[in-house]
């Protein structure tokens, strides 16, 4: 009888493992292949060789670029080199990426930047918020941008138990923001186990100096976050669930879900056109190729544009699609005055004229 019970349990575990494996592969879009969608006026940005995981553009056309992310389980082309923040002036005829100097006293050696967000104060001061993973921990760094010196002055480091695995940020003021925790765990093994088991433990947190609280939860792998031009709605990308959640923002900073947009790709970071309200997403068409990197079969890149997301039938357009021969692992797409920047987790960045 004991042997029969052991066999039965083994069979049940094998069946559960097989079911989870199939579901995991489905979530990663492991069988998807891309049909190319080309843009005619594009070139790789010189000087960016180790990723441009997130990009944020000021209203005057200055683009901040987060580069050099080292993340558990993902490829890095320079694992021993600190991360950097680049600046591009998209008003220039031939814009180039310039590394910003960071003030003394900040630990540059362990700088590992992830998602970023800018905020312009009433006195026109520009603050840059950076999700950072020094020594594979999670912090939010707040900088002040000094344009005349092409530099960032480090103001503070924020750590909190409710910010264990910060992926992206949307700044709401000089000292408060929403942040996404893409996993409950930050250890690479536990992180993969969390994804494999399909645990919906990732969340969104509101932070201010006087209050820190969870404002949305139950996500599979929450990633990019941004806010509508009128500040009434917050957009949240659930990467592995292939969804964008539209959340209504309330006076006490809490969020309630308004709608969900289902997609057929793994959408990473979100940017919002301040003039049209259109949402642009850098996407991973096949997540399996991203997680299990093979230089002979690299991850592709995809950019989508979402118009009228609050309507009954939003329009989703595939703007760019490429199999990895040019751009590997796109994570963000931002537009400014007819120009498009596409960044990646660990590869290059692309500049296009639309």
């Amino acid at each position: 009888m004991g042997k029969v019970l052991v066999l039965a349990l083994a069979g049940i575990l094998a069946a559960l493992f097989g079911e989870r494996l199939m579901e995991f592969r489905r979530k990663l879009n492991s069988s998807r292949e891309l049909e190319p969608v080309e843009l005619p006026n594009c070139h790789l940005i010189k000087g960016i060789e180790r990723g441009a995981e997130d990009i944020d553009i000021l209203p005057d056309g200055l683009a901040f670029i987060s580069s050099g992310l080292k993340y558990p389980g993902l490829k890095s082309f320079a694992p021993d080199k600190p991360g950097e923040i680049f600046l591009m002036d998209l008003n220039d005829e031939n814009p180039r990426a310039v590394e910003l100097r960071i003030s003394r006293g900040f630990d540059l050696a362990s700088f590992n930047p992830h998602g970023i967000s800018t905020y312009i104060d009433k006195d026109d001061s520009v603050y840059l918020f950076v999700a950072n993973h020094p020594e594979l921990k999670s912090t939010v760094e707040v900088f002040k941008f000094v344009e005349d010196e092409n530099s960032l002055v480090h103001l503070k480091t924020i750590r909190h138990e409710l910010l264990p695995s910060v992926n992206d940020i949307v700044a709401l003021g000089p000292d408060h923001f929403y942040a996404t925790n893409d996993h409950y765990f930050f250890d690479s093994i536990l992180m993969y186990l969390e994804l494999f088991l399909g645990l919906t433990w990732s969340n969104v947190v509101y932070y201010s100096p006087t209050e820190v609280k969870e404002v949305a939860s139950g996500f599979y792998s929450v990633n990019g976050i941004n806010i509508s031009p009128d500040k009434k709605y917050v957009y949240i990308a659930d990467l592995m669930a292939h969804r964008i959640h539209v959340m209504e923002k309330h006076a006490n900073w809490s969020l309630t879900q308004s709608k969900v947009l289902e997609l057929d790709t793994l959408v990473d970071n979100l940017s919002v056109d301040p003039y049209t309200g259109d949402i642009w997403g850098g996407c991973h068409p096949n997540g399996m190729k991203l997680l299990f990197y093979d230089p002979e079969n690299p991850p592709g890149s995809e950019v989508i544009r979402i118009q009228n997301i609050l309507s009954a039938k939003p329009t989703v357009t595939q703007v760019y699609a490429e199999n990895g021969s040019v751009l590997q692992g796109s994570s963000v797409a931002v537009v400014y005055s007819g120009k498009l920047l596409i960044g990646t987790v660990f590869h290059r960045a692309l500049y296009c004229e639309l």
Side-chain angles (χ1 to χ4, degrees):
M1 185 66 181
K3 292 181 179 179
V4 173
L5 181 59
V6 169
L7 287 172
L9 288 173
I12 291 171
L13 289 174
L16 289 174
F17 178 82
E19 184 274 333
R20 289 312 316 162
L21 182 60
M22 290 180 63
E23 179 64 9
F24 186 57
R25 289 178 59 86
R26 187 186 71 81
K27 290 291 189 182
L28 288 172
N29 272 0
S30 62
S31 61
R32 186 180 177 203
E33 297 294 338
L34 276 182
E35 291 291 330
V37 176
E38 298 181 355
L39 292 172
N41 303 304
C42 296
H43 65 264
L44 293 169
I45 299 172
K46 186 178 180 180
I48 297 182
E49 311 287 340
R50 305 183 298 120
E53 202 282 335
D54 202 8
I55 304 172
D56 201 11
I57 301 180
L58 296 177
D60 64 0
L62 292 180
F64 294 85
I65 302 171
S66 162
S67 181
L69 174 66
K70 291 167 283 293
Y71 197 78
L74 293 183
K75 176 70 176 177
S76 172
F77 287 113
D80 298 323
K81 187 175 180 182
E84 301 160 291
I85 302 294
F86 288 95
L87 186 73
M88 288 184 71
D89 188 346
L90 299 182
N91 296 297
D92 291 347
E93 185 174 346
N94 295 299
R96 60 190 185 94
V98 177
E99 182 184 353
L100 291 176
R101 294 186 298 106
I102 297 180
S103 61
R104 293 181 179 180
F106 179 71
D107 184 8
L108 280 173
S110 65
F111 191 37
N112 188 8
H114 201 162
I116 61 175
S117 181
T118 56
Y119 180 79
I120 303 175
D121 210 352
K122 294 177 181 178
D123 63 357
D124 292 329
S125 295
V126 176
Y127 297 90
L128 178 70
F129 292 71
V130 181
N132 185 24
H133 304 299
E135 300 174 353
L136 296 183
K137 297 176 183 177
S138 185
T139 67
V140 174
E141 311 294 344
V142 184
F143 299 92
K144 187 174 182 179
F145 173 54
V146 183
E147 184 173 359
D148 293 342
E149 301 176 3
N150 265 359
S151 68
L152 295 170
V153 176
H154 184 247
L155 301 179
K156 66 174 72 173
T157 296
I158 296 170
R159 298 180 180 87
H160 197 276
E161 60 183 8
L162 291 183
L163 299 170
S165 182
V166 178
N167 183 299
D168 197 17
I169 304 163
V170 59
L172 305 166
D175 56 6
H176 61 291
F177 55 85
Y178 290 123
T180 61
N181 288 303
D182 53 10
H183 298 87
Y184 184 81
F185 301 104
F186 201 71
D187 175 83
S188 58
I189 295 175
L190 293 176
M191 187 183 295
Y192 271 108
L193 185 61
E194 184 182 338
L195 289 176
F196 184 78
L197 294 177
L199 303 177
T200 53
W201 289 358
S202 63
N203 66 357
V204 179
V205 169
Y206 167 75
Y207 177 91
S208 77
T210 58
E211 182 181 29
V212 186
K213 62 182 180 180
E214 180 183 81
V215 291
S217 61
F219 302 102
Y220 189 179
S221 179
V222 68
N223 208 288
I225 186 169
N226 219 310
I227 196 165
S228 62
D230 61 10
K231 312 301 181 187
K232 293 181 179 180
Y233 295 93
V234 172
Y235 308 127
I236 300 167
D238 193 338
L239 182 92
M240 294 282 285
H242 312 169
R243 292 172 178 166
I244 294 177
H245 295 260
V246 179
M247 314 291 286
E248 186 176 356
K249 181 173 73 69
H250 301 287
N252 64 353
W253 307 105
S254 64
L255 302 174
T256 55
Q257 185 158 281
S258 176
K259 66 181 298 183
V260 177
L261 180 63
E262 302 282 349
L263 301 165
D264 63 353
T265 189
L266 284 73
V267 62
D268 197 322
N269 287 313
L270 304 172
S271 68
V272 179
D273 187 321
Y275 301 104
T276 65
D278 295 349
I279 300 171
W280 292 74
C283 306
H284 306 291
N286 185 322
M288 186 70 78
K289 294 182 180 182
L290 183 74
L291 288 182
F292 302 97
Y293 183 80
D294 178 359
E296 301 300 319
N297 187 23
S301 293
E302 184 177 23
V303 171
I304 61 171
R305 176 188 185 187
I306 304 162
Q307 297 169 282
N308 302 314
I309 193 168
L310 297 177
S311 68
K313 292 185 177 181
T315 302
V316 180
T317 306
Q318 188 186 49
V319 177
Y320 178 81
E322 201 272 327
N323 64 9
S325 61
V326 175
L327 203 64
Q328 301 176 12
S330 57
S331 56
V332 64
V334 292
V335 293
Y336 173 81
S337 188
K339 304 175 180 74
L340 170 67
L341 297 183
I342 307 172
T344 65
V345 179
F346 50 74
H347 192 233
R348 306 291 302 275
L350 202 65
Y351 170 90
C352 303
E353 294 184 0
L354 298 174

